[in-house]
Amino acid sequence: MKLSSSAVFHFLLLCALPVVNASDCMSHSELEILALSKLQPIFSAHEARLNQVILDSGNATQCISQDMEPEVNLADVDTLFSKMWLDVFVSGQNVKSLRYTAELIFEKQVWRSTRKISNNSVISLGDVKSDWQESARLTLEERLFEEPNTQYRALRNINKDQVLTNKDVAKVKLVETGQTVLATYRSGGITIEVKARALSSGEQHDTIAVLLSNQREPVKAVVQSRMDVYVQE
């Protein structure tokens, strides 16, 4: 059989291409192990730990060379989910970027109560213990008890061994709503101190509303300390 000149040209071109052995390509399981290692720091920054990465097989036919370790990134790290897009980039190969659907199995750090806690009680580190819980969603706003001396107030009755969330507790402010404080204000060049009731909560230097004991209308005051506020003119 006589081949055309075009067929001969394509045959010679194929022969000239480098032959890639399957053993030179990273296996699907090896890529999952690499992704697990590469993504772990992202989860650690969220007070979580990644246990397993399961990639879809959509790009399984694409060869990623064993000697070219790829970069692995998540499409978005502000909020972590159990199902996310995962991008694999290989420098120096024809492969620019591969996108996988990834199932991420991870646990987040949680806090459990060590005793029964009544509504409105103050909670400190001595009343909770650290634990791990498998999760499908994780955000930075979920963190509790980050600072050793931070106290929280129970927003409802809490059972022993219950996992606490920001719906169960709230951080205790320097001045709490309803608290009695000493208000300092100036009137006619005279500095006056009078007891007042805080109508809102705040940290140091926050402006809150207070009701002075000798007045009927609330005024604005700047928090100075746990017991002192300065009434603005």
Side-chain angles (χ1 to χ4, degrees):
M1 181 179 67
K2 186 177 180 180
L3 297 175
S4 67
S5 59
S6 176
V8 171
F9 172 77
H10 283 94
F11 175 76
L12 293 174
L13 181 61
L14 288 173
C15 292
L17 292 175
V19 177
V20 178
N21 297 320
S23 60
D24 295 331
C25 301
M26 184 175 291
S27 70
H28 200 69
S29 59
E30 287 174 330
L31 183 57
E32 289 175 334
I33 293 172
L34 177 66
L36 178 65
S37 172
K38 292 284 189 178
L39 298 179
Q40 196 65 249
I42 296 175
F43 284 81
S44 297
H46 285 67
E47 301 294 337
R49 59 189 183 191
L50 182 61
N51 295 326
Q52 188 176 5
V53 177
I54 303 173
L55 303 177
D56 70 349
S57 57
N59 292 310
T61 56
Q62 178 64 61
C63 176
I64 299 176
S65 176
Q66 290 275 11
D67 59 357
M68 296 295 290
E69 187 174 288
E71 296 179 16
V72 180
N73 297 302
L74 291 175
D76 182 18
V77 295
D78 289 333
T79 302
L80 300 174
F81 297 95
S82 57
K83 291 286 183 69
M84 296 188 71
W85 289 111
L86 186 144
D87 294 320
V88 178
F89 176 78
V90 185
S91 176
Q93 290 191 190
N94 294 329
V95 181
K96 290 186 178 180
S97 180
L98 299 176
R99 172 159 282 193
Y100 292 83
T101 302
E103 180 180 354
L104 307 174
I105 299 175
F106 61 91
E107 297 172 304
K108 66 179 180 181
Q109 186 182 39
V110 296
W111 296 94
R112 293 185 183 273
S113 58
T114 57
R115 62 179 180 85
K116 284 188 175 181
I117 301 172
S118 302
N119 181 34
N120 208 37
S121 297
V122 174
I123 307 171
S124 63
L125 275 175
D127 302 311
V128 296
K129 60 182 178 181
S130 177
D131 199 1
W132 294 96
Q133 183 181 60
E134 191 168 311
S135 178
R137 181 178 180 274
L138 184 66
T139 64
L140 290 173
E141 288 72 24
E142 296 178 4
R143 292 182 178 179
L144 298 173
F145 299 97
E146 288 186 283
E147 301 169 12
N149 298 322
T150 302
Q151 290 185 323
Y152 288 77
R153 187 176 301 279
L155 302 179
R156 61 185 74 175
N157 291 330
I158 297 171
N159 295 321
K160 184 179 179 180
D161 290 327
Q162 180 177 325
V163 174
L164 303 180
T165 71
N166 51 18
K167 293 182 179 180
D168 301 310
V169 299
K171 187 181 292 187
V172 174
K173 299 291 185 71
L174 192 62
V175 172
E176 290 283 307
T177 302
Q179 180 181 329
T180 299
V181 295
L182 184 63
T184 301
Y185 71 102
R186 293 186 178 89
S187 178
I190 300 174
T191 300
I192 301 174
E193 291 183 345
V194 61
K195 287 185 178 181
R197 179 164 57 90
L199 301 181
S200 55
S201 59
E203 299 289 0
Q204 190 174 30
H205 305 310
D206 287 349
T207 299
I208 64 172
V210 299
L211 183 64
L212 304 178
S213 60
N214 58 355
Q215 293 188 13
R216 295 184 177 180
E217 297 294 328
V219 295
K220 292 182 178 180
V222 179
V223 177
Q224 302 295 305
S225 66
R226 187 172 294 277
M227 295 298 300
D228 300 288
V229 299
Y230 177 77
V231 177
Q232 296 176 317
E233 295 183 5

